[in-house]
Amino acid sequence: MGTHAGFVINQDSIHASRLLPAAYKDRDYRAFWSADQGLLAQADSLVEAVKEADREGLRPEDYHLAAIKAMIDELRQNQQNKEFPVAQRFADLDLILTDAFLVYASHLAEGKVDRETLQPEWSAKSDSLDYAKILEDALQSNQIERGLQALLPRHAFYSDLRRMLSSFEATMKKGGWGRVPDGPEMRVGDTGKRVTALRKRLAATGDLVGRQQYGAGLFDSTLARGARRFQTRHGLEATGVVDSATLVALNVPVQQRLEQIKANLERWRWLPHELHRKYIRVNAANFELAVVEDGREVLSMKVVVGNPDWQTPVFSADMTQLLFNDYWMAPRHIVATELINYMKADSNYLPRNKMVLLRPSADSMVEIDARTINFATLDPKDIDFRLRQDPGPDNIMGQVKFLMPNKYDVFLHETPYREDFAKNIRMYSHGCIRLEKPYEFAEYVLKHYSGWTKDTIRAVVQRIERRLVNLKDPIPVYVLYCTAWKEKGGTIQFREDHYGRDKRLAAALRAGFGRTSSAMQ
C-alpha cells in the first residue's frame, strides 16, 4: 500500500505521504481501523477527537472530517441493509483514518505551520516521534483521544490559552463587545455618549469593577481605574486617559483576539512541550526577561529586542557560557548597511569608538590604516575589510555576553544604550537581546560557581579583563513571541503585534491545500 502524487480518496488528498507507507509496512499492511467483524469503535473515537481540533486553534476540516463521516455512514448503511461493501471501501476508509490521525498528531506535537516559511506542514517535521507507534499504542489501549492529547504541551501557558480560546469564543457567540466611537482623548470629567460606550466596553471584559452604572455618561474615577487596568493588560502606559493607542486596543474585535490566541497556541507547539525546573524566558513581544525556578519568577528585567527589520526569532537553546570583555567583530551586513555611513559622515568615528579595520592576510587578520580608504566613494558591496571594536564600557555588546548556541546567532548581552530601557516599546537591536540588569543576571547565573561573587564580577568588569566561564549546568532559554497569555493571578494579557507575526501566522493556520492538493509528496 503506498501513496503517490494526486492520491485522492472521496475528493480528499492523502497528506502524510511519507509517514503513511511506513506505518502500514510496520504492521505488514494490515488495516488499523477494521477487523473481520467490520469497522472498529476506535474510528468513532478518532472522529470525536478531530471534532475537538478547534479547541487547539486548529481546523477539524484539515483532517478529513467530512469525508470520514460520509464513508463511515455509507459503510454502516450498507451493513444495516445487509449489503456487503467492496473491500476497497474499507481500505479507502482505513487509509483516510490513518492519514487523519498521523497528520493531526504531528500538528499537535510540532505545530501545523513551519516556523521559518510560515507554510502549513502536512507531515512530521522531525524524526523524534514515532507517530506510527503512537497510533498503534492508542489503538491497543483503546485511548485514541488520550493518545492525541498526550502530544500537547504540558504546561500552564498552553492550557491557559486553550481556556482563553474557549472563553473568547463564547464572547463572540454573544455578539462580542461594543465599539467605542472615534474621537479625541477621554479623561476624568468628560461626559457624553462616547463615555457611556467606554463604560460598557470596559465592563464587557471585566476591567470595570465597582459601581459600574453610577454616572454612566460621566468619566469618573471608577472609569479611570478601569481604563488603567485595561491599559496595563495591553502593555500600554497606565495613565487612565483614553488616548489614540488605547482606543485602538479597545476596538480590536473579538475575532481578531481569537486569531491572536490561536497563533500563540501554535507557537507553543513549536517549542519543547515540557519546561525545565529552572529556565530563562524572554518574551520579545513584551520586552521582558524572567528567570523561573520551580514555577516562581526569581528575577525579571526589561529587555531590548530586534527592530522590525531585524526581528528576534522564536527558539529555545541552552545557555552554556558567559563571556566578559570580548571584542566585537561587526557582522559584515551591519558594516555595509549602517557603520559605513557613520564612517563616511565622521572621520573620527573609528578612533572615538575604539574601532579598527582588519583585512585577512595569510592565516591572520592585519590592522589597516583607515586613512588609506576613501569612504566618500566606497560602495558597500566593495567592502573587503572587517571592523573590530575593543572591549570596554562603550563596546556595542557591553562588557558581558551570555552565549546560547543557536542557528540565529542570537545571544543576551549588556548594552551601553541605557536610555532605551525607559521606553515602553523597545525594539532597537539587530536581533540579539539587550539586558536591563546584566550584572544582576550574571550574579544569578554564577551564584553556585566558586570564586564568582558580586565583587569578582565588578573587578573583572572594571579591569576590562577578558574572562570566559563555561557553565557546567547549562540553563534552558526560551525566546518567545507571546502576544496573548494569562498571568498566574488570572489576568488576561494582550500585546501589540509589532512584528506583524500574528496576522501572518493566523492566515497560515486558516490555510489548507484544498480538496485535491498533493503538496505533501
Side-chain angles (χ1 to χ4, degrees):
M1 185 181 296
T3 62
H4 56 84
F7 184 53
V8 174
I9 297 174
N10 265 30
Q11 296 184 295
D12 271 32
S13 296
I14 291 297
H15 299 312
S17 59
R18 183 174 65 86
L19 295 177
L20 201 67
Y24 280 100
K25 182 180 179 182
D26 287 346
R27 57 188 283 119
D28 297 324
Y29 300 101
R30 291 179 293 110
F32 280 102
W33 304 94
S34 61
D36 292 341
Q37 67 273 26
L39 193 64
L40 300 176
Q42 285 98 324
D44 296 303
S45 297
L46 180 59
V47 169
E48 293 305 310
V50 169
K51 283 181 181 177
E52 299 294 320
D54 52 2
R55 295 182 59 191
E56 314 303 332
L58 298 169
R59 308 187 327 155
E61 59 265 37
D62 285 339
Y63 311 107
H64 309 303
L65 181 60
I68 289 170
K69 289 171 67 176
M71 294 175 74
I72 289 177
D73 289 345
E74 175 193 331
L75 289 173
R76 286 189 171 147
Q77 186 64 46
N78 288 339
Q79 289 177 325
Q80 185 176 334
N81 296 337
K82 296 184 178 180
E83 298 174 357
F84 298 96
V86 295
Q88 183 61 46
R89 295 304 284 161
F90 274 107
D92 287 347
L93 178 56
D94 208 86
L95 278 168
I96 206 166
L97 283 164
T98 304
D99 191 61
F101 183 97
L102 296 175
V103 175
Y104 188 35
S106 73
H107 288 178
L108 294 178
E110 303 176 66
K112 171 183 173 179
V113 178
D114 181 83
R115 76 174 77 179
E116 304 294 343
T117 65
L118 284 191
Q119 295 298 312
E121 288 284 346
W122 298 89
S123 188
K125 294 187 284 292
S126 76
D127 296 321
S128 59
L129 290 172
D130 185 342
Y131 291 103
K133 186 177 188 307
I134 291 169
L135 170 56
E136 193 77 59
D137 291 345
L139 288 167
Q140 290 296 325
S141 64
N142 198 23
Q143 297 286 348
I144 296 295
E145 293 179 78
R146 183 175 295 181
L148 288 166
Q149 288 292 305
L151 297 170
L152 291 169
R154 292 180 286 277
H155 51 69
F157 294 108
Y158 190 85
S159 56
D160 284 346
L161 282 168
R162 292 177 81 220
R163 285 189 285 270
M164 284 171 59
L165 183 66
S166 176
S167 174
F168 277 68
E169 283 176 337
T171 299
M172 188 175 71
K173 288 176 182 176
K174 294 176 183 176
W177 46 66
R179 178 180 175 82
V180 181
D182 294 338
E185 289 185 352
M186 288 186 284
R187 62 184 69 235
V188 170
D190 287 346
T191 58
K193 292 181 179 179
R194 292 183 69 234
V195 174
T196 302
L198 172 65
R199 188 176 294 276
K200 290 179 180 177
R201 170 65 183 85
L202 292 175
T205 45
D207 294 296
L208 191 61
V209 294
R211 299 170 64 186
Q212 299 176 13
Q213 301 306 314
Y214 176 75
L218 171 66
F219 198 128
D220 56 11
S221 59
T222 300
L223 195 54
R225 283 196 297 275
R228 283 194 292 272
R229 175 180 166 84
F230 177 89
Q231 288 166 332
T232 299
R233 290 197 308 107
H234 291 76
L236 303 166
E237 291 189 53
T239 61
V241 176
V242 179
D243 56 12
S244 59
T246 304
L247 188 62
V248 168
L250 285 164
N251 287 332
V252 171
V254 179
Q255 180 60 45
Q256 186 173 327
R257 292 303 185 201
L258 283 168
E259 299 293 313
Q260 196 171 356
I261 293 168
K262 291 176 184 178
N264 282 272
L265 282 165
E266 176 73 356
R267 290 191 190 102
W268 278 113
R269 290 191 287 265
W270 292 343
L271 293 163
H273 287 199
E274 290 193 71
L275 304 180
H276 290 71
R277 186 192 71 80
K278 179 171 76 172
Y279 63 88
I280 296 156
R281 183 181 71 239
V282 177
N283 184 359
N286 194 36
F287 319 113
E288 60 95 41
L289 175 148
V291 179
V292 179
E293 288 186 8
D294 297 317
R296 184 174 62 91
E297 289 188 11
V298 297
L299 179 64
S300 63
M301 68 189 72
K302 298 175 181 178
V303 298
V304 172
V305 298
N307 67 59
D309 292 329
W310 302 95
Q311 298 181 8
T312 298
V314 172
F315 68 98
S316 60
D318 286 342
M319 181 190 297
T320 57
Q321 294 177 317
L322 271 68
L323 182 54
F324 291 93
N325 297 304
D326 193 23
Y327 288 98
W328 179 56
M329 189 69 76
R332 293 179 185 276
H333 63 268
I334 294 180
V335 174
T337 59
E338 296 183 27
L339 300 185
I340 190 66
N341 297 321
Y342 301 146
M343 289 182 264
K344 288 180 178 182
D346 180 3
S347 60
N348 197 42
Y349 176 78
L350 292 172
R352 183 161 47 81
N353 289 282
K354 298 184 179 178
M355 295 174 173
V356 296
L357 302 182
L358 306 170
R359 274 204 187 103
S361 177
D363 294 330
S364 62
M365 300 290 284
V366 177
E367 184 175 341
I368 60 174
D369 188 344
R371 293 172 298 182
T372 64
I373 299 173
N374 186 346
F375 291 107
T377 61
L378 181 63
D379 190 311
K381 69 175 182 295
D382 294 328
I383 293 173
D384 64 348
F385 54 78
R386 301 296 305 274
L387 184 150
R388 188 185 71 191
Q389 185 180 30
D390 290 342
D394 296 324
N395 187 280
I396 286 177
M397 294 293 111
Q399 291 185 259
V400 59
K401 297 193 292 190
F402 303 82
L403 306 181
M404 44 187 190
N406 60 86
K407 67 179 181 179
Y408 306 103
D409 291 328
V410 167
F411 51 87
L412 313 174
H413 65 91
E414 191 198 3
T415 177
Y417 306 121
R418 304 294 305 169
E419 65 277 7
D420 290 339
F421 293 110
K423 300 169 184 174
N424 197 46
I425 297 172
R426 299 183 288 276
M427 298 185 295
Y428 301 102
S429 82
H430 290 86
C432 285
I433 298 152
R434 303 173 184 173
L435 303 177
E436 178 192 24
K437 305 172 185 176
Y439 300 117
E440 282 186 48
F441 190 52
E443 187 180 350
Y444 168 82
V445 172
L446 297 176
K447 65 181 179 180
H448 297 305
Y449 287 73
S450 177
W452 282 102
T453 64
K454 182 187 293 186
D455 291 339
T456 306
I457 293 170
R458 185 183 298 115
V460 167
V461 169
Q462 289 176 346
R463 292 196 300 265
I464 313 181
E465 176 185 349
R466 190 181 190 279
R467 294 283 296 276
L468 176 66
V469 184
N470 292 307
L471 300 183
K472 61 180 182 293
D473 296 312
I475 305 174
V477 180
Y478 305 106
V479 181
L480 315 171
Y481 187 75
C482 293
T483 59
W485 73 93
K486 183 182 286 187
E487 293 190 334
K488 280 202 168 182
T491 303
I492 290 173
Q493 300 282 331
F494 287 104
R495 291 297 180 269
E496 186 176 346
D497 181 21
H498 292 287
Y499 286 169
R501 291 178 177 172
D502 284 348
K503 185 176 180 179
R504 295 193 299 273
L505 182 50
L509 287 168
R510 291 193 302 269
F513 282 106
R515 293 176 61 79
T516 58
S517 168
S518 59
M520 276 192 56
Q521 302 308 313

